[in-house]
Amino acid sequence: MAKLIINSYDEFAAHLGQELGTSDWLLVDQARINLFADATLDHQWIHVDTERAREESPYKSTIAHGYLTLSLLPYLWNQIIDVRNIKMLVNYGMDKMRFGQPVITGSRVRMSTKLHNIQNLRGVCKTEVAFKIEIENQRKPALEGIATFLYYFE
């Protein structure tokens, strides 16, 4: 799928209430989970001890950290949209974020998005993007919420 290209606030605002796109699938494997555990110093066994998880976890496998799933948002968002003519982009906040179900190691995830709200704040484009991080072959998303970004157009 081609990225949505946005060149100005008005072009962005024209998509209010619309689907913006869906990313490609991304594999969440044990290597990625281990790297995240090292980066965040969160080595809880449910994420990194494959043998213990196989025996003791209700999922019979390790699972991704919830915040690992969240941290994939910028990468997946970048697959969906290309906002041009900006000086800077700032991650401003998250609202109504809910972890629906764990991402079992070896699953693939993708993100679908919709422009929930947009405002021009004295030349700064404030966008609220409703997102769902879906798990392949699962009905319930891993994560959903509203991500707020500030785009500083030139």
Side-chain angles (χ1 to χ4, degrees), residues 91-105:
N91 295 317
Y92 187 71
M94 293 294 218
D95 293 301
K96 300 181 182 177
M97 192 176 76
R98 297 288 180 265
F99 295 101
Q101 70 173 325
V103 176
I104 295 172
T105 305

Side-chain angles (χ1 to χ4, degrees), residues 60-103:
K60 303 301 179 198
S61 173
T62 53
I63 59 172
H65 304 72
Y67 290 123
L68 166 56
T69 305
L70 174 62
S71 77
L72 297 173
L73 192 142
Y75 172 77
L76 299 172
W77 177 236
N78 189 50
Q79 291 182 3
I80 295 168
I81 196 166
D82 181 3
V83 182
R84 299 177 178 175
N85 304 315
I86 59 171
K87 293 180 265 187
M88 146 173 92
L89 162 65
V90 174
N91 295 317
Y92 187 71
M94 293 294 218
D95 293 301
K96 300 181 182 177
M97 192 176 76
R98 297 288 180 265
F99 295 101
Q101 70 173 325
V103 176

